[in-house]
Amino acid sequence: MFLAHDPARDRPVAVKLFALDLPAERVQQLIVEFERLIAAELYHPALNTPLATGIADGSAYLVYDYVDAQSLDLAIREFGPAPPAHAVRVCAQLAGALGEVEEQHQVE
């Protein structure tokens, strides 16, 4: 994951580079799937909507709005596992987000 600046929108973005050992045609297929996600314009406050995709040095990348937050693995190392009630609440929010995305996708 890399931090970059989107000059068109004048704000930071996160760039996820998928450095996978794939043949060029499979990387292109991955880009096509990313483009489908972007075109679907799926939105939920608990999800980070993809903005752009492409290929850099033979690897696919996906661009998102930047969210200034600590990664889950660092948070767990620093604070330990979440209390069960908090973990269940977060899982419920994510499940709700995925359910809404599925619902939006079925409408199309």
Side-chain angles (χ1 to χ4, degrees), residues 28-93:
Q28 190 58 46
Q29 288 175 330
L30 184 58
I31 295 298
V32 168
E33 292 303 317
F34 288 160
E35 288 170 343
R36 289 180 60 208
L37 281 174
I38 294 165
E41 296 180 340
L42 303 172
Y43 172 78
H44 188 276
L47 299 176
N48 201 352
T49 304
L51 304 171
T53 189
I55 298 174
D57 297 327
S59 295
Y61 66 85
L62 193 55
V63 180
Y64 298 89
D65 277 325
Y66 174 71
V67 177
D68 187 14
Q70 191 173 38
S71 69
L72 180 60
D73 65 323
L74 291 177
I76 290 172
R77 278 189 244 149
E78 184 174 341
F79 303 110
H86 180 72
V88 168
R89 188 171 52 251
V90 170
C91 288
Q93 290 172 346

Side-chain angles (χ1 to χ4, degrees), residues 3 6 16 37 46 71 78 85 89 94 98 100 102:
L3 178 62
D6 180 352
K16 171 91 175 166
L37 281 174
S71 69
E78 184 174 341
R89 188 171 52 251
L94 289 173
L98 293 173
E100 278 194 39
E102 180 182 28

